[in-house]
Amino acid sequence: MSLCTKWSLGMTGVLLLVVVAQAEPVAELKATGYVNDFAHVLDQNSIAQMDEICRQIDEKAHAQMAVVTIHSLDGSDIESYAVDLFHQWGVGSKATNRGVLILYAIDDHRARIEVGYGLEPILPDGKVGSFQREAVPLTRSGNYSQALLLVTSRLAQVIAQDAGVQLTTPQLPPARAEPRERRGGGISVGGIILLIVVVLIVLFTPLRGVLFWILFSGMFGGGSGSRGGGGWGGGGFGGRGGFWWIRRW
């Protein structure tokens, strides 16, 4: 065997070891606390803060939070991975099902929050989604410590407020309100100009009879166009009967 062949085989073996080392099958993940940084992207100070937040939520609000980072989803979709991990670790007691799993797959740029049945009423999809969107700029810049601390704190604040307890942890700025859809406030300038042009054409050209007929047909009949259009929208919510929020950054 030539030296070049041996070198190639050796490099292939090294690459395979790297891939295997970064793949984290759910069955091999063992919880060591509230915060499990398998991807090694969190600083110790943030881990300590999140651990304290989760401990207080567990002791005061009787809900469990688990924060997890992994390198890779091991070829799985994040929905199945999070559900399997949620069940394997038993996040939240079986009696109340008040558990939250925050999962970030760093190499796959995917994040998911799995919520137990018992917390669904206070953590609807819109609220959970707003916390995830707020953290996206931090994840995009690689600041996973602050991103996960932000999401953990936001979720904990909601759980604590619902339980009527106070958390003795550093307070983050208030959550930003979700922007509401802008409602129409009248016709725009372009619309007014277009309307004037149409009126002039109708009044002063030989086409006015045809245009009148088109307008009349559109108002009182108008064919068989579809109603509503579109589909069910992008993506969805579902899973274990609870709900989840997926985010790609």
Side-chain angles (χ1 to χ4, degrees), residues 42-54:
L42 306 178
D43 61 64
Q44 290 303 311
N45 182 55
S46 297
I47 291 175
Q49 290 184 66
M50 284 185 280
D51 191 75
E52 176 61 18
I53 290 170
C54 294

Side-chain angles (χ1 to χ4, degrees), residues 2-24:
S2 67
L3 181 62
C4 181
T5 303
K6 290 181 178 179
W7 182 85
S8 298
L9 290 174
M11 288 302 296
T12 301
V14 170
L15 290 174
L16 287 173
L17 285 174
V18 170
V19 172
V20 171
Q22 289 189 340
E24 295 118 329

Side-chain angles (χ1 to χ4, degrees), residues 131-179:
F131 298 156
Q132 283 287 72
R133 287 189 290 274
E134 190 178 356
V136 166
L138 293 169
T139 55
R140 284 179 176 168
S141 65
N143 194 346
Y144 302 109
S145 293
Q146 288 302 307
L148 279 162
L149 179 58
L150 173 66
V151 173
T152 302
S153 300
R154 294 291 190 236
L155 293 167
Q157 287 170 356
V158 174
I159 297 171
Q161 183 177 6
D162 177 72
V165 299
Q166 293 289 330
L167 302 181
T168 56
T169 56
Q171 295 296 309
L172 291 172
R176 294 179 299 182
E178 281 290 280

Side-chain angles (χ1 to χ4, degrees), residues 16 20 27 29 31 33 35 44 61 71-73 79 89 100 105 114 126 141 227:
L16 287 173
V20 171
L29 298 183
V35 183
Q44 290 303 311
H71 282 291
S72 168
L73 292 166
E79 299 94 332
W89 285 6
V100 178
E114 187 76 21
S141 65
R227 184 171 177 269

Side-chain angles (χ1 to χ4, degrees), residues 62-64 86-87 90-100 114-121 240-242:
H62 308 295
Q64 286 187 346
F86 191 99
H87 285 301
V91 184
S93 70
K94 289 184 178 180
T96 61
N97 207 356
R98 286 167 58 83
V100 178
E114 187 76 21
V115 179
Y117 297 105
L119 294 175
E120 285 182 16
R240 306 174 307 101

